């Protein structure tokens, strides 16, 4: 029989060949390994575990390693341990998936109560040879409601020789009654740093040369999944005829050259649409997919925005040198407004390219839209231009634009000046003991000041009543006469009187007029003012010019000066608070 390394032996993919067999070789799950190590050391081993995480992070692998740990047996006898450096009596059979006491079930194809009933019946019998009978149920969220309910009693009080290990990618679909009976472990995505080192070690063991940039592309495409990364690495080795190069990985993944993508981004943000279309055609001729190109532009836009907000993001090991250096440079030169607008256009454009019959044409239209949007004026510049006023002067430290937009205006590529920080001398006030501060009372001289006082006191009930349910008849110090709208609760009068006494320190007589209510409430007056303001806004020459410049635009909101809220009552400031320090 041919040996495992014989040329006649079937090839074993990297994801299976380098599948971890103990916790020392499990990648990127240190927190879980530490927790399990403490539990085993203290002999506090739970009878049920649930492992959750995205695809390929090691859920099933962890379950098999746990089955080995439960059933570890050597010359000294059976004893659960995480130290699996030396194979025990049952380890080989468990690793190869043929141990009679370790039962693996795929819940995706065994979803019903009858499948679970077989487990319930079999747990009554002790293990054949191993210390524990271990049930591993993969994709447990696929079980039916009846199957979950049938499992509850056995899962809560299993025999002492039974262990359950569940694995799922959809933890939210697992009933809380099941989760409460299990020790839960969330397996995390493997970070790019750890994944890069892991792939390098595997390539070293295989004796295969590689380029760091190619490895970074694979790590980015693998999205933190060990299995996906190893599958992509397998494919890259085959595609590159035994070596892993950036060129072959780009061709394999349908990626454009990252440096050319950055060139394309700079051309678009600089408004150089002719150069951008030429670059796009060149990348397309080299085999790049139009939809992938738009996605790459969106990814790079996100990267630049992220670096602008979190400069340390430029240190990510999965980034290429061009992305790291030029991304940081662009983050310092582009304003946030231009980046967020570019992201919105590319995000929507990606869907358009996916639906289009001709992806290249759709992608070019997205680029044209982005290039022309890059030099759109800000709202302040637009208003100043339409009203024939000089545009707001740039801040002293702001540099001139580095390019011209397709319409001849300045491009979005301009340096953002740091905001000036003003320092003011603040006089230090002596702290006053809170017990010595007496709360001062407010004074109210008009009905509108009363509404403002209710607003300042955050009394929503009284303010709504004053604005929408009452009409003032007369107002003088200590006495108010109002007319109530139809359907108003009369108890609001007593509430208003009590609030006034609390706020002003004096008794107020609040009377209800016997005359039928006439005129408008404060709220109705406001609504009339808003309607009149909208009508006046549409007649304003500047607004008309803006609406004609941007077809389809409309006036959404008009701010009206509110006399009721601007008339501030004489409310004393709150007493100073004591410093806890």
């Amino acid at each position: 029989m041919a040996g495992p390394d014989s040329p006649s032996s079937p090839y074993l993919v990297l994801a299976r060949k380098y599948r971890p067999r103990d916790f020392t070789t499990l990648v990127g799950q240190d927190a879980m390994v530490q927790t399990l190590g403490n539990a085993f050391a203290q002999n506090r081993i739970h009878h049920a575990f649930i492992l959750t995480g995205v695809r390929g992070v090691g859920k099933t692998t962890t379950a098999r390693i746990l089955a080995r740990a439960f059933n570890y047996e050597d010359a000294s006898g059976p004893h659960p341990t995480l130290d699996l450096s030396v194979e025990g009596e049952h380890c080989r059979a468990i690793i190869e998936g043929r141990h009679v006491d370790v039962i693996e079930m795929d819940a995706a194809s065994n979803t019903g109560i009858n499948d679970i009933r077989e487990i319930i019946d079999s747990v009554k019998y002790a293990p054949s040879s191993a210390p524990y009978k271990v049930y591993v149920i993969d994709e447990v969220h696929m079980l039916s409601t009846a199957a979950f309910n049938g499992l509850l009693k056995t899962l809560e009080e299993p025999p002492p020789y039974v262990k359950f290990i569940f694995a799922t990618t959809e933890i939210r679909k697992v009933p809380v009654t099941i989760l409460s009976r299990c020790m839960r472990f969330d397996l995390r995505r493997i970070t790019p740093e750890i994944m890069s080192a892991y792939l390098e070690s595997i390539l070293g063991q295989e004796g295969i040369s590689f380029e760091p940039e190619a490895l970074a592309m694979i790590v980015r495409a693998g999205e933190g999944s060990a299995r996906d990364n190893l599958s992509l690495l397998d494919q890259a080795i085959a595609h590159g005829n035994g070596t892993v190069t950036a060129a072959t990985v780009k061709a394999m993944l349908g990626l454009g050259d990252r440096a050319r993508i950055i060139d394309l981004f700079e051309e678009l943000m600089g408004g150089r649409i002719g150069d951008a279309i030429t670059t796009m055609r060149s990348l397309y001729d080299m085999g790049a997919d139009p939809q992938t190109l738009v996605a790459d532009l969106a990814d790079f836009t996100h990267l630049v925005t992220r670096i602008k907000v979190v400069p340390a993001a430029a240190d990510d090991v999965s980034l290429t040198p061009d992305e790291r250096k030029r991304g940081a440079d662009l983050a310092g030169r582009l304003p946030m407004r231009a980046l967020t607008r570019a992201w919105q256009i590319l995000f929507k454009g990606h869907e358009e390219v996916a639906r289009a019959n001709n992806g290249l044409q759709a992608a070019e239209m997205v680029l044209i839209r982005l290039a022309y949007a890059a030099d759109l004026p800000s709202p302040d510049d637009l208003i100043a231009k339409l009203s024939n006023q000089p545009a707001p002067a740039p801040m002293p430290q702001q540099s001139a634009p580095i390019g011209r937009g397709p319409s001849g205006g300045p491009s979005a590529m301009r340096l953002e000046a740091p905001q000036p920080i003003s320092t003011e001398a603040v006089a230090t006030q002596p702290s006053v003991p809170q017990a010595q501060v007496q709360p001062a009372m407010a004074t109210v001289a008009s009905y509108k000041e009363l509404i403002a006082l209710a607003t300042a006191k955050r009394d929503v009930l009284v303010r709504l009543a004053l604005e929408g349910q009452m009409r003032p008849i007369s107002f003088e110090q200590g006495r108010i006469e109002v007319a109530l709208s139809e359907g108003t609760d009369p108890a609001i009068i007593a509430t208003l009187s009590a609030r006034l006494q609390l706020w002003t320190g004096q008794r107020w007589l609040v009377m209800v007029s016997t005359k039928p209510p006439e005129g408008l409430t404060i709220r109705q007056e406001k609504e009339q003012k808003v309607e009149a303001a909208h009508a006046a806004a549409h007649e304003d020459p500047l607004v008309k010019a803006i609406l004609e410049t941007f077809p389809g635009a409309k006036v959404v909101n008009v701010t009206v000066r509110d006399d009721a809220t601007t008339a501030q009552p004489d409310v004393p400031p709150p007493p100073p608070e004591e410093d806890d320090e």
Side-chain angles (χ1 to χ4, degrees):
M1 179 179 293
D5 297 328
S6 172
S8 60
S9 300
Y11 175 68
L12 197 62
V13 297
L14 296 179
R16 292 183 59 190
K17 182 176 181 180
Y18 292 98
R19 190 171 197 167
R21 299 183 178 183
D22 56 41
F23 286 110
T24 61
T25 55
L26 189 65
V27 180
Q29 309 300 337
D30 296 340
M32 179 192 66
V33 174
Q34 181 179 354
T35 303
L36 288 172
N38 294 338
F40 272 71
Q42 299 172 18
N43 198 25
R44 302 175 65 90
I45 306 173
H46 207 275
H47 64 269
F49 299 83
I50 187 164
L51 310 173
T52 178
V54 298
R55 68 193 186 281
V57 292
K59 299 182 295 297
T60 306
T61 297
T62 301
R64 291 179 179 177
I65 298 174
L66 272 176
R68 283 188 62 193
F70 294 146
N71 290 318
Y72 189 80
E73 185 175 355
D74 57 12
S76 61
H79 56 93
T81 180
L82 293 189
D83 183 8
L84 304 174
S85 55
V86 178
E87 284 191 6
E89 182 178 338
H90 308 283
C91 289
R92 176 54 51 184
I94 294 174
I95 291 172
E96 296 175 357
R98 55 180 175 81
H99 199 289
V100 68
D101 291 325
V102 178
I103 301 96
E104 293 191 27
M105 188 184 86
D106 178 20
S109 55
N110 300 274
T111 61
I113 182 62
N114 291 331
D115 301 303
I116 295 301
R117 189 174 289 119
E118 293 180 6
I119 295 178
I120 297 172
D121 293 339
S122 65
V123 297
K124 302 174 184 177
Y125 304 100
S128 300
S129 58
Y132 291 97
K133 181 178 286 188
V134 182
Y135 293 90
V136 178
I137 303 180
D138 200 9
E139 300 301 336
V140 69
H141 65 274
M142 300 290 287
L143 291 178
S144 65
T145 302
F148 274 126
N149 291 336
L151 190 60
L152 286 178
K153 187 62 178 177
T154 302
L155 184 62
E156 184 173 15
E157 298 178 358
Y161 48 79
V162 171
K163 301 289 183 183
F164 288 97
I165 307 174
F166 303 139
T168 178
T169 54
E170 299 285 348
I171 191 67
R172 290 174 294 179
K173 295 182 180 180
V174 179
V176 67
T177 50
I178 296 291
L179 295 177
S180 64
R181 290 164 167 81
C182 301
M183 179 177 284
R184 171 176 170 176
F185 290 101
D186 291 81
L187 278 68
R188 308 298 181 186
R189 291 182 186 271
I190 303 173
T191 62
E193 295 82 1
I194 296 177
M195 183 61 70
S196 296
Y198 180 57
L199 297 184
E200 287 182 15
S201 68
I202 290 178
L203 289 171
Q205 296 178 58
E206 293 288 318
I208 295 174
S209 61
F210 65 93
E211 294 179 1
E213 184 179 356
L215 216 56
M217 295 177 188
I218 293 174
V219 170
R220 184 187 296 110
E223 297 181 341
S225 167
R227 183 174 61 235
D228 287 4
N229 275 273
L230 291 175
S231 298
L232 289 172
L233 186 61
D234 241 335
Q235 186 178 349
I237 294 170
H239 196 82
N241 194 23
T243 184
V244 181
T245 64
T248 56
V249 172
K250 288 173 188 174
M252 179 187 78
L253 298 177
L255 300 175
D257 190 325
R258 302 303 292 184
R260 298 291 299 278
I261 290 294
I262 302 174
D263 293 339
L264 179 60
F265 180 82
E266 286 185 338
E267 291 162 357
L268 292 169
M269 300 308 289
R272 304 191 300 274
I273 185 58
D275 296 339
I277 292 297
T278 302
T279 302
M280 163 73 96
R281 285 280 180 170
S282 174
L283 291 170
Y284 177 77
D285 292 339
M286 292 169 58
D289 179 65
Q291 187 177 358
T292 303
L293 288 174
V294 175
D296 287 346
L297 283 171
D299 288 342
F300 187 71
T301 304
H302 170 264
L303 172 64
V304 174
T305 309
R306 190 161 179 258
I307 293 175
K308 190 174 187 67
V309 178
V310 186
D315 299 330
D316 191 340
V317 297
S318 66
L319 301 178
T320 64
D322 277 333
E323 289 175 320
R324 191 175 296 113
K325 182 179 178 181
R326 298 173 68 183
D329 177 60
L330 288 167
R333 299 161 65 192
L334 286 170
M336 184 62 73
R337 183 182 67 249
L339 289 171
T340 54
R341 185 164 51 198
W343 167 261
Q344 292 171 350
I345 293 173
L346 290 168
F347 183 78
K348 184 175 180 59
H350 186 268
E351 298 178 355
E352 296 175 357
V353 175
R355 296 195 305 266
N357 293 328
N358 190 316
L360 179 61
Q361 292 179 357
E364 288 181 349
M365 294 303 296
V366 172
L367 299 193
I368 293 172
R369 187 190 314 158
L370 177 58
Y372 274 84
D375 69 332
L376 284 177
S378 67
D380 293 339
D381 295 335
L382 179 62
I383 292 174
K385 181 178 180 180
L386 292 174
S387 58
N388 295 323
Q389 297 176 0
M395 299 184 66
Q397 297 180 0
Q398 190 172 18
S399 74
I402 69 168
R404 306 299 293 178
S407 58
S411 72
M413 302 268 292
R414 64 176 72 218
L415 289 174
E416 258 194 344
Q419 297 295 328
I421 302 175
S422 60
T423 56
E424 298 180 358
V426 181
T428 304
Q429 299 181 357
S431 60
V432 182
Q434 189 172 1
Q436 298 178 8
V437 178
Q438 299 296 330
M441 297 301 174
T443 58
V444 183
S446 67
Y447 190 80
K448 291 183 177 179
E449 286 191 7
L450 176 57
I451 295 177
L453 177 60
T455 302
K457 295 294 185 180
R458 298 183 179 179
D459 196 318
V460 179
L461 176 65
V462 172
R463 176 178 178 176
L464 292 178
L466 292 170
E467 289 183 339
Q469 300 172 358
M470 300 180 184
R471 295 174 178 82
I473 303 298
S474 64
F475 190 99
E476 58 185 67
Q477 192 67 26
R479 183 181 181 277
I480 306 175
E481 184 179 0
V482 296
L484 297 180
S485 301
E486 183 179 355
T488 302
D489 186 0
I492 191 62
I493 299 299
T495 302
L496 177 59
S497 179
R499 295 290 195 277
L500 281 169
Q501 182 176 355
L502 176 65
W503 294 339
T504 65
Q506 68 179 63
R507 292 182 177 277
W508 284 71
L509 176 62
V510 183
M511 301 173 56
V512 179
S513 175
T514 57
K515 301 178 182 179
E518 297 179 358
L520 302 175
T521 63
I522 299 295
R523 182 179 302 165
Q524 290 170 340
E525 291 178 358
K526 289 181 181 179
E527 292 173 352
Q528 279 193 352
K529 289 181 180 179
V530 170
E531 292 177 0
H534 269 274
H538 281 87
E539 297 301 324
D540 185 270
L542 179 59
V543 176
K544 284 184 175 181
I546 293 176
L547 295 179
E548 291 174 359
T549 305
F550 298 97
K554 61 182 179 179
V555 178
V556 177
N557 185 33
V558 178
T559 303
V560 181
R561 181 180 176 85
D562 187 359
D563 295 335
T565 56
T566 56
Q568 296 296 327
D570 185 12
V571 182
E577 299 181 358
E578 287 192 15
D579 192 350
D580 293 337
E581 298 180 357

